[in-house]
Amino acid sequence: MPIFLLSFKADLENLTDLQPREGCDDPGYGYFMKLKCENCGEITPKETCLTLSEMVSLPNSRGTANLVQKCKFCGREGSVLMIPGQGKPLTLDLSEAQAAAPLMVFECRGFEPIGFLFADGWKARSISGTAFEIDLSTGDFAEYDEEGECPISVSNLEARFKVVHKKSKRGQTVYE
Ligand SMILES: [Zn+2]
């Protein structure tokens, strides 16, 4: 079963630690993804929403997944399981280095994730230490930090899925 790591980057202005509101494993954060059927190549017309807190049982198996869906075109069934514990906040240092932060790992059966849509439900800290709630559903964010007397913004958001492999390093499970 292929495993995909979703990572993201953005230009942060006077902000750091951009992450979902309750941290990288926020149980309620909605991941909106476009999925491609591995059998016929059909792409879901609308993004499908996955959250860590929603689990369904797999038909004909004892396992569970965060999504079980049938391809509307060929009828083939697929599933996606989210693997928490791999995400990291996007810091100002990472942003300045144009580097990405890992967000979530997805184990996919029958579907390949090909697109990601940022939603509401993020947070970050300004350089003055003030916490901000951030809505990324319009693709960017801009406000003024009264405390630090500086503008704050998030722009040039990018998300990317990459095939990774499950490995064991010093007794820890890593995906790279
Ligand atoms: Zn299909």
Side-chain angles (χ1 to χ4, degrees):
M1 256 184 269
I3 302 172
F4 296 86
L5 169 69
L6 170 66
S7 58
F8 73 112
K9 58 187 195 176
D11 290 342
L12 302 180
E13 181 187 17
N14 297 321
L15 281 176
T16 190
D17 292 353
L18 178 64
Q19 60 192 301
R21 208 158 285 166
E22 286 179 40
C24 290
D25 291 334
D26 187 336
Y29 182 75
Y31 289 81
F32 290 84
M33 310 194 330
K34 267 201 186 274
L35 301 170
K36 182 178 165 187
C37 173
E38 279 189 333
N39 186 45
C40 73
E42 178 80 357
I43 295 166
T44 51
K46 247 181 67 181
E47 280 81 7
T48 304
C49 182
L50 285 86
T51 57
L52 261 179
S53 59
E54 271 174 51
M55 295 292 281
V56 285
S57 45
L58 290 169
N60 314 317
S61 135
R62 283 164 178 241
T64 53
N66 297 90
L67 174 80
V68 174
Q69 187 167 288
K70 256 190 185 147
C71 170
K72 288 206 168 65
F73 195 73
C74 74
R76 178 75 70 91
E77 194 170 68
S79 63
V80 180
L81 175 68
M82 296 165 75
I83 300 170
Q86 308 300 319
K88 288 197 176 76
L90 183 72
T91 61
L92 187 55
D93 284 350
L94 283 173
S95 163
E96 281 171 351
Q98 296 278 303
L103 186 58
M104 184 56 69
V105 172
F106 300 89
E107 195 174 299
C108 299
R109 189 177 56 85
F111 287 111
E112 181 189 343
I114 56 161
F116 176 74
L117 208 60
F118 289 87
D120 192 8
W122 292 75
K123 68 172 179 183
R125 246 175 340 106
S126 79
I127 48 168
S128 71
T130 312
F132 283 88
E133 296 199 341
I134 294 179
D135 180 354
L136 295 179
S137 57
T138 57
D140 50 20
F141 168 86
E143 227 175 83
Y144 190 78
D145 176 17
E146 303 285 346
E147 198 91 17
E149 297 180 339
C150 59
I152 53 167
S153 68
V154 179
S155 57
N156 294 319
L157 271 169
E158 265 179 60
R160 179 164 102 95
F161 288 102
K162 184 175 91 170
V163 175
V164 291
H165 300 278
K166 189 176 178 175
K167 290 176 188 165
S168 184
K169 267 192 183 169
R170 291 179 216 95
Q172 295 231 337
T173 303
V174 294
Y175 295 85
E176 56 182 39

